Amino acid sequence: MFVVKIGGNILDSPERLQAFLVDFAQLPGPKLLVHGGGKIASAFGQRLGITPRMVEGRRITDAETLELVTMVYGGLVNKQVVAKLQALGCNAIGLTGADANIIPAHLRPVRTIDYGFAGDVEGPETINVQALEAFFQVGLTPVVAPLTHDTQGSMLNTNADTIASVLATALAQNHSVQLIYCFEKKGVLQNAEDEDSVIPHINAEKYQALKEDGVVNAGMVPKLDNAFAALQQGVQAVQICDAAAIKQLVEGNNAGTLITFS
């Protein structure tokens, strides 16, 4: 089973998104797609006079921003992706964490930073795997927006990389799962200015060194944190690559950055 997360500039580019979805639709067997959409939400927010606030790659979600991301992630982005997959013969169903109660979460506690209406998922054991399996059994491909719910009637903004990681680990109970993070870069870069400086392999020790040296920072930190969390909990492999490389990766060719413990 493939759990694929798509984000970054791919969602902003109709051409790149279409090319990715063509490849994704052709993946064999059951699959699940998680999408981001932060840049689109920021752009819409600015049109509405809502200035995005980010700390360490994560969005501060006040009440106004929660309304914004619910509309953009759960509505605009999610349904556009679903419609495009339907046109490609992939019978997709768009979901948030509230739908079928697939991802309950809790409000992130305030420590050094108040992230507002940000949701943290307890762990893979809280995921409604039974509902997801029911979708797979009838030939549906879930397309999941980065939104969860607090079981008390409120939506919560949740990092898409985290959602992909937790869903992958939950599904790993019953499947051999490969988690793939696709974005606009060829992988994790040694030099952000050099598109070809891909680091082919990162283990836990190297990750710490890359963070200390500042090579890995901002939004890449939660992505890699979630990659290692997935590996710890049963996911077979984690890859970070250019969305255009997903086909060659699935065919067994090297692409992007492979994440392992050792």
Side-chain angles (χ1 to χ4, degrees):
M1 172 176 288
F2 296 99
V3 174
V4 183
K5 188 266 178 173
I6 184 72
N9 293 333
I10 304 304
L11 287 165
D12 301 334
S13 167
E15 295 79 13
R16 283 185 172 185
L17 178 59
Q18 182 66 22
F20 163 80
L21 292 176
V22 167
D23 290 339
F24 176 82
Q26 294 174 355
L27 293 179
K31 51 188 173 286
L32 181 149
L33 180 62
V34 178
H35 66 79
K39 293 182 180 179
I40 297 173
S42 294
F44 264 83
Q46 288 175 337
R47 287 163 59 180
L48 297 171
I50 302 172
T51 302
R53 294 172 56 215
M54 308 291 289
V55 177
E56 296 178 351
R58 296 183 186 270
R59 186 180 301 270
I60 303 297
T61 308
D62 58 16
E64 195 175 37
T65 301
L66 180 63
E67 291 182 342
L68 171 68
V69 296
T70 300
M71 290 187 290
V72 174
Y73 298 162
L76 178 65
V77 177
N78 188 265
K79 300 315 172 190
Q80 284 183 339
V81 170
V82 168
K84 290 179 185 298
L85 285 173
Q86 295 293 2
L88 295 167
C90 178
N91 195 7
I93 180 168
L95 303 168
T96 70
D99 298 298
N101 190 33
I102 60 168
I103 317 174
H106 64 267
L107 190 70
R108 182 176 301 162
V110 178
R111 295 189 177 94
T112 56
I113 301 167
D114 184 356
Y115 285 98
F117 292 96
D120 286 334
V121 184
E122 291 287 350
E125 67 280 357
T126 65
I127 301 299
N128 190 349
V129 175
Q130 184 177 5
L132 291 171
E133 295 287 5
F135 292 132
F136 294 133
Q137 287 170 11
V138 295
L140 289 169
T141 294
V143 177
V144 183
L147 296 163
T148 58
H149 75 120
D150 67 357
T151 73
Q152 304 299 312
S154 295
M155 298 298 291
L156 296 171
N157 183 19
T158 301
N159 180 271
D161 293 333
T162 301
I163 286 179
S165 174
V166 174
L167 289 176
T169 56
L171 291 167
Q173 300 169 23
N174 304 323
H175 303 270
S176 175
V177 176
Q178 183 171 357
L179 173 60
I180 306 173
Y181 288 113
C182 291
F183 66 149
E184 72 276 7
K185 304 293 184 181
K186 293 180 180 180
V188 182
L189 303 180
Q190 182 71 43
N191 178 0
E193 304 302 319
D194 182 0
E195 294 287 336
D196 294 319
S197 64
V198 176
I199 304 170
H201 176 226
I202 295 176
N203 59 22
E205 182 180 357
K206 185 166 186 175
Y207 177 38
Q208 291 304 317
L210 290 170
K211 282 200 295 186
E212 290 171 6
D213 293 342
V215 174
V216 172
N217 53 56
M220 189 55 71
V221 172
K223 194 183 299 292
L224 285 168
D225 284 346
N226 286 301
F228 282 105
L231 289 169
Q232 281 183 307
Q233 299 179 75
V235 171
Q236 294 297 307
V238 181
Q239 202 86 18
I240 298 176
C241 64
D242 185 343
I246 187 171
K247 187 173 182 179
Q248 69 184 78
L249 184 64
V250 171
E251 291 172 348
N253 299 312
N254 293 329
T257 302
L258 176 67
I259 312 299
T260 66
F261 276 114
S262 57

